[in-house]
Amino acid sequence: MTRDTQSSTPTSASNSSAQPLVSLKNVNKHFGELHVLKDINLEVARGEVVVVIGPSGSGKSTLCRAINRLETIDNGEIRIDGKELPAEGKALAKLRADVGMVFQSFNLFAHKSILENVSLGPVKVKGMKAAAAKELSMSLLKRVGVDNQAQKLPAQLSGGQQQRVAIARALAMQPKVMLFDEPTSALDPEMINEVLDAMVALAKEGMTMIVVTHEMGFARKAADRVIFMADGQIVEQATPEEFFTNPQSDRAKDFLGKILAH
Amino acid sequence: MEDYLSLLVEYDVLGAFWVNIQLTLWAGVWALLLGTVLALMRISPIASLQWLGAAYVNIFRNTPLTIILAFGFLGLFGQLGFTLAEDLNVSLFRIAILGLAIYHAAFVCEAIRSGVNTVPLGQAEAARAIGLSFMPAARLIILPQAFRGAIAPLGNVLIALIKNSTVAAAGSVAIETSTVMKEMIEFRSDVIYPIFFTFALGFVILVIPIGLLTTWASKKLAVAR
């Protein structure tokens, strides 16, 4: 019976669940002479949490930023939910609204209150009514534990609080996938966990996530798959358990040896 | 001294300053609008608009204001018969405003661009990442912060504009300060120094508060990061 439905409606089946939510095919990018992304192939399934790790300059941030076209690529193909990334204009803006992004340096709108930071997207991009957007924003701020700061400006909050607001701001667009570009790298050590906790909670709720990070603890706890990048290539990918206990490549062994030594 | 004071009754010095203030206010508003459009063009992702904005700035910033205003009077009005009002004097006044605005828009554009440079790139990236396209991102996120970072340089443009409004004499606006001053000196060269001093002082009194105000405002309104 299952077989029948699949064969009778092959397109709809491939459009809904079988098809990866994010797919990169033969993606290449250069920064001048430097080949930062070398023939990257990657598929991320709906609900999957993929953690990208690797040494500095390995291209992992560029990979993350290419997925919503904050970095353009030289060639190859990037698809979100089956649709190829448009080059520019309204179509690109529309697609970006479906891809949440959390930056290393938070990038909250400095002249807007915390509440406005979160509600701006729903109102200005999605045309949501102000009252509904406020309600949505407050519930998201509550979820990440900063609802009591709603009227303040970003500069009045700690780094950890700002990053949690940034997560709420991205969630307010009800994205299909969330990109995290080293979300804890600019934080004081005592603030890292409050952000990671919010991310773990999000992963548990089934959000599709691509997370560039140095937090191995987060990778172990929340990742479905770990991708190890070096020199612009995906060198190795495995479940966190496999990767951390039994890395295959010398490059990964060397990297893990250095960061897990103490 | 009495000679000099009688001169102030004969000539409408305050009225002359009022003309320069009006020239400044009108030209300032138009220059701000045009300069903002130019700045948007220069930061836009469209290459031809960037080029056009840059060309405008480089042409008008590097042309002497006297030539622009003389062209407005002799070229636009004199040769082409271009007018902006029925009344001759009103028309010349408006043509002078046009010339002042066109010239100062180039400087306003560069002042705003310096303000845009105070806005970290991450602000634009975050705006794009939530799905705002160029114009909404510029209007909601970039320009509001850029203006607050550009208050001091915009104040400098305004100060230059007030003083440059005297060049409207080249556009044959006859009742503004530099023309009135010239007439007063021609008729009463015996009190030439007090006359110079009066007009210099008038401009200092106009300009100093602007400097103080913009310095205060640029601190007060600075975006906390």
Side-chain angles (χ1 to χ4, degrees), chain B residues 153-215:
Chain B
L154 282 173
N156 288 339
V157 175
L158 182 62
I159 288 169
L161 174 56
I162 291 183
K163 295 188 285 180
N164 287 344
S165 68
T166 55
V167 184
S172 209
V173 175
I175 45 172
E176 57 78 49
T177 48
S178 65
T179 315
V180 170
M181 184 182 77
K182 202 175 106 217
E183 285 171 8
M184 286 167 74
I185 291 169
E186 274 168 9
F187 286 101
R188 291 294 303 277
S189 56
D190 56 317
V191 284
I192 181 168
Y193 294 115
I195 293 172
F196 271 127
F197 182 74
T198 304
F199 284 94
L201 185 70
F203 277 101
V204 169
I205 288 169
L206 279 179
V207 167
I208 283 179
I210 294 175
L212 293 175
L213 197 69
T214 52
T215 305

Side-chain angles (χ1 to χ4, degrees), chain A residues 119-174:
Chain A
S119 64
L120 186 122
V123 172
K124 299 294 177 181
V125 177
K126 292 193 150 176
M128 194 184 274
K129 289 264 190 313
K134 188 181 172 186
E135 201 178 322
L136 169 71
S137 303
M138 285 309 296
S139 74
L140 287 169
L141 286 172
K142 188 163 188 172
R143 201 162 120 190
V144 294
V146 278
D147 51 326
N148 54 348
Q149 315 281 337
Q151 302 308 324
K152 291 189 181 168
L153 286 170
Q156 296 172 286
L157 269 60
S158 73
Q161 290 172 325
Q162 287 193 52
Q163 195 61 300
R164 285 183 281 150
V165 175
I167 292 172
R169 174 175 69 178
L171 286 175
M173 297 304 292
Q174 286 150 342

